[in-house]
Amino acid sequence: MFLIKQFFNKYSFLLFVFFIINGNIFSQSALDRVVQLDFTTGSTNKLLKHIEDKSGVIFSYTNKVCTYKKVVLSKSKASVKEYLDQIFVNCFVQYYELNNKIVILPIDIRDLDYNIKGFVKDSITGEVLIGANIYDINASIGSVTNDYGFYSFTTSGGEVFVGCSYIGYNSIRKAIKLTRDTIISFNLAPLPALKEIPIVGQNSYSGIRSSQTSIVDVPVNQLQNVPSFFGEMDLIKMIQLFPGVKTGTEGFSGLYVRGGGHDQNLILLDEVPVYNMEHLFGFFSVFNPDAINSVKLIKGGFPAKYGGRLSSVLDIIMLEGNKDKLNKMVSLGLLSSKLSIDGPLKNDKTTYSLSFRRTFYDLIVEPLQEKNSDNNRYYFFDLNAKVNHRFSNKSRLFISAYWGHDNLNSDYNFKSISKTIINQDYLGDDLRLSDKINAGWGNIIVSTRWNYVYNTKLFSNTTLSFTNFNFFTSQDRDYYVDDTWNTITQSYNSGIKDLMAKIDFDYFPKNSHHIKFGVNYIYHQFFPGIEIVQSDNISGEKNDTTIGGEMIDGAEIHGYIQDDFVLSSLLKVNAGVHFSSYRTGLNNYFSAEPRLSVRFLVTQRFALKSSLSFMSQYVHLLRTANISLPSDLWLPVTDKIKPMSARQVSFEGNYEFLPGFNLSAELYYKKSYNELDYFESQSFFDLSTSWSDKLTSGNTESYGLEMLVQRNIGSWSGWLGYTYSKSISVFPGLNDGNPFWANNDRRHDISMFLSHSFSQNIDANMTWSFSSGKPITLADEKYFAPELPTVPSIGSGFSENFSEKNRYRMPNYHRLDVGVNFKKNKYWGKRVWSIGVMNLYGRQNPFFLYFSDNFNENTGESNRTLNQFSLFPFPFPYIRYTIQF
């Protein structure tokens, strides 16, 4: 008995499974019963009757079930269910068993849900359209294309009217009979410049319905119309015309968003961070407009996808290339010339885009300079390249690259040195010496991205990338001491290299939810360094070498998950969290950053929005001047230097008061922590202390109001923006620990862009901007400091007293720029003449302020005056010639 119990306990589970299996065999489903048929062709009724005879199963159905006169079955032996699936393959029916009877019932396809997915593209260029709206017109449900032009949503079957719209393009409506999951790709045609905006029904989606706040979709199609310095179209100068974005210093392309610093902007080029975006010391940016597909600026309400910066995200996507034909463009300007080419590569599955830009200042000026006078040479270039290949409707591969470089050389203070004053043993000819400056900086970015559509609900993008920013400068100075001419070389070399791997997912579980999640790993290498070398000009022997700085590496890890979901027809929410970490020698910094945006739809044309964002940043930019220079040094957090962090809340109203006219107003409050600055009187060339000991940290509080009226389409287009803002900083190591106005504080800012198309061939454009003066630190008094016997080392001279940091303000800034484009179609393509004038009314805006002393010989008195230096004190014309073929 004991053995029987033991056997039963050990094998009871197997016995249970055995009986279940045998029970299923004995009670086999009628649908699973295998039948051998005598014939496989006939009408629906005839084949059903024959299957009944062979299987012993009875079918019950009404005349509402679709039937056909001729049906062909694929084989003579199969299960009853397999035969039914073939007979009703084109019918919507369901069947279930009841006492050896199979009941067949018709299905209303309107009760079934099917998925619609695909891509939206420009019908002419084949470029994907990011942020296009696709929707079921009757059901008022839909989706928005992601950064790769992909969309997906689910709707009921049957007769469906699907609409697709995008600003600046003709909308499309398609009537389809939806009976299964379907792929529909849309190709939208651009609207003619003079065509007024078509009024789309209330079911179309727009920025009003988005849960996103503080976002600007930069109209790249209007970029060529913005009057520009030397006729050089510049993306950043256009972005500076939007509320909440400050210009820094006149003529420069830095971005200062909502009181934040230049380093607090996450600038992405095809999803890869860009650390330096300036050419010509910041007069314009490295982004070639002819290589850009779309640009999105986010100033607050950051989705959880983005992390690593405090103030803004500038997301730039490059062109992919025309899949149908070869396009070429040549543009000649006063400052640079450009060449662009794009098109298919062998077939429409592979396309490419290539753009090159270079200045020819060095080639023109160098032959005109005399060898005995100052000799200056400067050039820059950009190269953008992108290739994408479509393996299938599910799989695509992108390879992107950017290479840009600036180089400056200057020879000055020429001297011819006779060999007799060098030394008697020197047998060479007379020496010709000069002081030299050599500087260069640039970016190299390479990325590979793979898109894959797993199914109707899941989309992924995998990215591998490398970026390298490097800056170097050196100065050679000759001097004569101890009967020998020597050279001292002071050089500075810095940079940052990144290796990045990341994967992002878009998941569409249902129409009311759009989930995004992903992880990102970045390996940093920072290269701060200073080298001072003293050598003998005759022997070349190095007498003294000083090196400062060392390589620093570190790794950032980011992860996120967010859901953009609909709670009701009026309420939409984007909620998520961003995780990040950075490990230093002793510390492992970690941050969990919640993100929340809420939209309440008051009416179909009016929405209220609010957002809350927590951000952190593990890299710092140490400024070496009041303007953005490539010598600014990128460095990581350390055991002494903590990460920066910020909290931001905003409230926005968005109102489409007329078709095509949008008004938005937004209040924001932002507090940032652990910002860095140099202690007063410190310099990065000071080798007496390490770089971390030169720094002090503090907090900045910013708040303001931003308003924007905008129209993107029609013969008249443009926008008018206004910003009221305040930014106050507190650094224990600066200004005696007292609050002071932040460097980028501006009280009022007004910007306007207006474009009018007189015809298909002529358009005129203007920009006008006004900004309150930026804070500046000036000496309150200058006094004579005689040599004192008790302190002989001081010596006599003049000293200045600075009572408060940023106590004063520079004069207000305002400027008017105008331009006209003359276009004409030729048999070989199209030509464009662009002419204009910068600073039309000759406003002398201050570049910097300085004191000067004027001595009156008659009275013996000295008067001190405050003067300004203007970079562009007069109207400045420009011209550019472009051909497209």
Side-chain angles (χ1 to χ4, degrees):
M1 179 66 68
F2 172 77
L3 293 176
I4 294 175
K5 288 183 178 180
Q6 189 178 40
F7 176 84
F8 181 83
N9 291 333
K10 186 174 183 179
Y11 296 102
S12 59
F13 175 74
L14 294 178
L15 292 171
F16 174 76
V17 172
F18 172 78
F19 285 117
I20 290 295
I21 293 175
N22 280 276
N24 286 338
I25 292 175
F26 295 132
S27 60
Q28 185 184 37
S29 168
L31 287 170
D32 295 331
R33 198 169 301 174
V34 177
V35 181
Q36 178 73 51
L37 300 183
D38 297 333
F39 56 87
T40 58
T41 302
S43 66
T44 300
N45 294 330
K46 183 178 180 180
L47 288 174
L48 290 176
K49 182 64 173 64
H50 185 50
I51 296 172
E52 284 182 333
D53 295 340
K54 291 294 186 179
S55 64
V57 176
I58 299 174
F59 297 119
S60 175
Y61 57 95
T62 68
N63 56 5
K64 291 184 178 180
V65 173
C66 59
T67 58
Y68 298 94
K69 293 182 179 180
K70 183 177 181 180
V71 177
V72 178
L73 302 178
S74 61
K75 49 188 176 181
S76 60
K77 187 175 182 180
S79 68
V80 172
K81 184 179 184 303
E82 287 180 284
Y83 285 136
L84 291 178
D85 289 342
Q86 293 186 43
I87 292 172
F88 297 106
V89 64
N90 294 317
C91 301
F92 293 91
V93 298
Q94 59 181 349
Y95 22 84
Y96 63 92
E97 298 179 43
L98 181 64
N99 298 326
N100 204 39
K101 181 186 292 185
I102 297 177
V103 180
I104 304 173
L105 297 175
I107 299 176
D108 188 344
I109 60 174
R110 292 173 297 182
D111 296 331
L112 301 178
D113 289 336
Y114 297 100
N115 178 265
I116 302 175
K117 65 180 179 181
F119 294 86
V120 180
K121 299 181 179 181
D122 185 304
S123 63
I124 298 177
T125 65
E127 295 292 333
V128 298
L129 300 180
I130 300 169
N133 302 298
I134 307 92
Y135 45 92
D136 181 334
I137 295 174
N138 294 328
S140 295
I141 56 176
S143 180
V144 178
T145 55
N146 64 9
D147 288 345
Y148 298 91
F150 176 80
Y151 75 91
S152 175
F153 73 96
T154 301
T155 190
S156 300
E159 295 292 335
V160 177
F161 291 91
V162 180
C164 181
S165 64
Y166 188 72
I167 294 178
Y169 287 76
N170 280 306
S171 300
I172 290 180
R173 297 186 179 189
K174 289 184 177 180
I176 61 172
K177 186 174 183 180
L178 192 60
T179 60
R180 60 176 61 89
D181 291 343
T182 304
I183 296 176
I184 303 178
S185 291
F186 294 90
N187 295 300
L188 303 185
L191 281 169
L194 296 176
K195 186 174 181 180
E196 293 301 319
I197 304 171
I199 300 176
V200 182
Q202 63 178 4
N203 293 320
S204 66
Y205 288 77
S206 67
I208 291 177
R209 299 209 168 187
S210 169
S211 60
Q212 181 71 55
T213 66
S214 311
I215 186 170
V216 177
D217 286 313
V218 181
V220 178
N221 60 324
Q222 292 182 338
L223 180 56
Q224 63 179 347
N225 297 332
V226 178
S228 51
F229 178 66
F230 274 108
E232 194 69 35
M233 294 181 295
D234 189 68
L235 171 65
I236 303 302
K237 295 291 179 57
M238 185 180 192
I239 293 175
Q240 289 173 347
L241 295 173
F242 285 95
V245 183
K246 309 298 182 183
T247 61
T249 304
E250 182 193 20
F252 287 82
S253 59
L255 286 181
Y256 302 90
V257 180
R258 292 185 173 178
H262 182 66
D263 60 324
Q264 295 178 5
N265 306 303
L266 178 61
I267 302 171
L268 301 173
L269 182 63
D270 272 357
E271 302 191 23
V272 182
V274 178
Y275 288 97
N276 180 71
M277 64 173 190
E278 282 94 12
H279 277 316
L280 196 58
F281 294 99
F283 277 106
F284 55 94
S285 69
V286 301
F287 305 114
N288 188 344
D290 300 306
I292 295 175
N293 177 343
S294 69
V295 179
K296 178 170 58 179
L297 174 67
I298 305 174
K299 300 177 293 182
F302 302 98
K305 173 182 178 181
Y306 300 104
R309 299 295 188 274
L310 304 186
S311 292
S312 76
V313 176
L314 183 62
D315 198 349
I316 303 170
I317 304 297
M318 291 170 54
L319 289 170
E320 297 178 5
N322 194 309
K323 67 180 181 63
D324 297 320
K325 64 176 182 178
L326 183 66
N327 295 316
K328 292 166 283 185
M329 187 278 292
V330 176
S331 183
L332 306 175
L334 296 175
L335 187 62
S336 72
S337 295
K338 299 182 287 186
L339 171 66
S340 297
I341 183 171
D342 69 273
L345 197 64
K346 292 187 177 180
N347 53 54
D348 62 355
K349 287 190 174 182
T350 306
T351 63
Y352 72 96
S353 174
L354 185 67
S355 297
F356 180 74
R357 176 174 62 168
R358 192 190 193 280
T359 182
F360 295 99
Y361 173 83
D362 56 325
L363 302 180
I364 297 173
V365 173
E366 186 171 7
L368 304 178
Q369 301 184 21
E370 297 181 6
K371 293 183 178 180
N372 293 326
S373 62
D374 293 352
N375 195 335
N376 301 303
R377 299 170 300 281
Y378 170 79
Y379 71 87
F380 74 84
F381 69 82
D382 291 312
L383 177 64
N384 295 82
K386 187 172 184 177
V387 176
N388 82 90
H389 177 74
R390 179 171 56 86
F391 296 104
S392 67
N393 289 330
K394 289 188 173 184
S395 179
R396 296 183 72 187
L397 181 69
F398 301 82
I399 299 176
S400 305
Y402 169 80
W403 179 28
H405 188 74
D406 288 64
N407 191 272
L408 171 66
N409 291 281
S410 180
D411 296 329
Y412 61 99
N413 194 17
F414 283 88
K415 302 173 285 290
S416 293
I417 309 302
S418 172
K419 64 181 180 181
T420 58
I421 70 169
I422 301 175
N423 63 55
Q424 299 299 323
D425 299 327
Y426 178 64
L427 301 178
D429 296 331
D430 292 351
L431 287 178
R432 186 171 180 272
L433 302 179
S434 68
D435 295 341
K436 298 179 177 63
I437 292 178
N438 183 26
W441 61 94
N443 297 281
I444 297 176
I445 298 172
V446 180
S447 69
T448 300
R449 292 169 295 150
W450 176 53
N451 292 172
Y452 188 73
V453 181
Y454 292 91
N455 50 47
T456 60
K457 299 182 182 297
L458 187 61
F459 174 95
S460 73
N461 175 60
T462 305
T463 303
L464 299 174
S465 69
F466 168 77
T467 180
N468 179 21
F469 166 66
N470 179 260
F471 168 79
F472 69 89
T473 181
S474 64
Q475 182 179 15
D476 295 347
R477 291 184 291 111
D478 300 305
Y479 63 98
Y480 187 71
V481 62
D482 297 333
D483 296 329
T484 303
W485 278 93
N486 294 298
T487 299
I488 183 168
T489 300
Q490 189 173 18
S491 65
Y492 175 74
N493 192 317
S494 72
I496 179 172
K497 292 181 180 179
D498 282 353
L499 288 172
M500 183 179 74
K502 72 187 188 83
I503 184 167
D504 302 285
F505 293 91
D506 287 63
Y507 179 52
F508 307 87
K510 55 180 64 176
N511 290 334
S512 58
H513 291 267
H514 180 183
I515 298 174
K516 294 185 178 184
F517 58 96
V519 293
N520 184 5
Y521 174 84
I522 307 175
Y523 174 71
H524 298 289
Q525 282 188 319
F526 300 88
F527 298 92
I530 301 168
E531 181 180 272
I532 300 176
V533 179
Q534 180 178 332
S535 62
D536 189 313
N537 275 330
I538 306 304
S539 65
E541 180 181 353
K542 295 182 178 179
N543 301 324
D544 179 63
T545 300
T546 303
I547 298 176
E550 59 183 6
M551 187 183 73
I552 306 171
D553 59 5
E556 279 187 67
I557 300 176
H558 296 262
Y560 71 93
I561 183 169
Q562 70 180 54
D563 186 8
D564 194 34
F565 58 96
V566 177
L567 290 178
S568 70
S569 60
L570 302 179
L571 192 62
K572 189 175 184 181
V573 178
N574 187 307
V577 61
H578 185 100
F579 302 96
S580 62
S581 69
Y582 190 98
R583 182 170 182 81
T584 63
L586 299 177
N587 294 321
N588 186 16
Y589 295 109
F590 174 80
S591 177
E593 305 156 20
R595 314 283 175 80
L596 177 67
S597 295
V598 180
R599 180 227 69 194
F600 181 74
L601 200 62
V602 180
T603 70
Q604 295 298 321
R605 296 183 179 275
F606 179 46
L608 295 175
K609 302 181 181 183
S610 180
S611 67
L612 174 67
S613 299
F614 286 63
M615 308 291 286
S616 63
Q617 181 170 331
Y618 300 102
V619 293
H620 301 277
L621 183 67
L622 303 186
R623 303 297 305 274
T624 58
N626 289 328
I627 60 174
S628 176
L629 293 176
S631 58
D632 295 344
L633 180 61
W634 286 97
L635 287 169
V637 298
T638 66
D639 294 329
K640 295 181 180 180
I641 305 298
K642 296 181 180 180
M644 291 187 286
S645 61
R647 313 288 184 262
Q648 184 175 169
V649 61
S650 66
F651 301 92
E652 178 183 348
N654 202 312
Y655 178 44
E656 187 180 4
F657 58 94
L658 288 173
F661 287 88
N662 185 269
L663 169 65
S664 64
E666 184 171 2
L667 290 167
Y668 71 89
Y669 173 82
K670 174 184 169 186
K671 182 74 175 287
S672 57
Y673 304 86
N674 298 323
E675 293 185 341
L676 292 185
D677 202 348
Y678 282 105
F679 281 109
E680 293 167 349
S681 75
Q682 286 284 355
S683 166
F684 72 98
F685 271 120
D686 178 12
L687 300 179
S688 61
T689 58
S690 67
W691 63 269
S692 59
D693 293 329
K694 301 182 179 74
L695 304 175
T696 180
S697 62
N699 305 331
T700 297
E701 186 179 45
S702 303
Y703 55 91
L705 167 68
E706 299 171 0
M707 301 183 68
L708 178 67
V709 180
Q710 188 174 15
R711 190 192 193 203
N712 285 331
I713 304 175
S715 59
W716 288 95
S717 60
W719 62 85
L720 173 65
Y722 169 74
T723 305
Y724 173 85
S725 62
K726 286 187 177 182
S727 297
I728 303 171
S729 296
V730 178
F731 282 69
L734 298 177
N735 203 45
D736 295 327
N738 297 317
F740 59 90
W741 297 116
N743 293 332
N744 303 307
D745 176 75
R746 303 281 184 89
R747 193 66 62 248
H748 303 280
D749 188 274
I750 304 172
S751 56
M752 178 174 62
F753 167 67
L754 188 62
S755 179
H756 178 61
S757 296
F758 295 95
S759 67
Q760 295 289 344
N761 297 326
I762 302 176
D763 60 72
N765 315 277
M766 62 159 287
T767 61
W768 183 79
S769 55
F770 169 89
S771 183
S772 301
K774 65 178 298 185
I776 186 173
T777 303
L778 296 173
D780 298 288
E781 55 184 351
K782 179 181 180 181
Y783 57 89
F784 179 70
E787 182 176 354
L788 301 176
T790 56
V791 192
S793 60
I794 293 180
S796 61
F798 290 91
S799 296
E800 293 181 330
N801 179 58
F802 299 85
S803 63
E804 185 177 339
K805 182 177 177 64
N806 288 346
R807 179 180 180 181
Y808 302 96
R809 289 186 180 270
M810 299 179 74
N812 293 336
Y813 166 92
H814 53 89
R815 194 178 81 185
L816 174 65
D817 304 331
V818 296
V820 182
N821 296 313
F822 298 94
K823 310 169 187 177
K824 190 171 184 179
N825 292 320
K826 299 285 189 177
Y827 69 92
W828 41 261
K830 182 180 181 180
R831 68 105 174 110
V832 181
W833 282 102
S834 300
I835 61 175
V837 180
M838 311 295 292
N839 195 13
L840 182 64
Y841 52 78
R843 164 70 177 180
Q844 296 191 30
N845 290 302
F847 184 61
F848 61 82
L849 303 181
Y850 63 95
F851 286 105
S852 63
D853 295 316
N854 301 313
F855 181 74
N856 190 322
E857 296 182 355
N858 296 325
T859 63
E861 295 180 349
S862 178
N863 295 319
R864 197 179 199 206
T865 59
L866 180 62
N867 305 289
Q868 73 175 36
F869 174 80
S870 297
L871 200 61
F872 307 110
F874 48 81
F876 198 91
Y878 70 85
I879 186 171
R880 174 173 286 277
Y881 180 69
T882 303
I883 58 174
Q884 302 171 354
F885 53 97

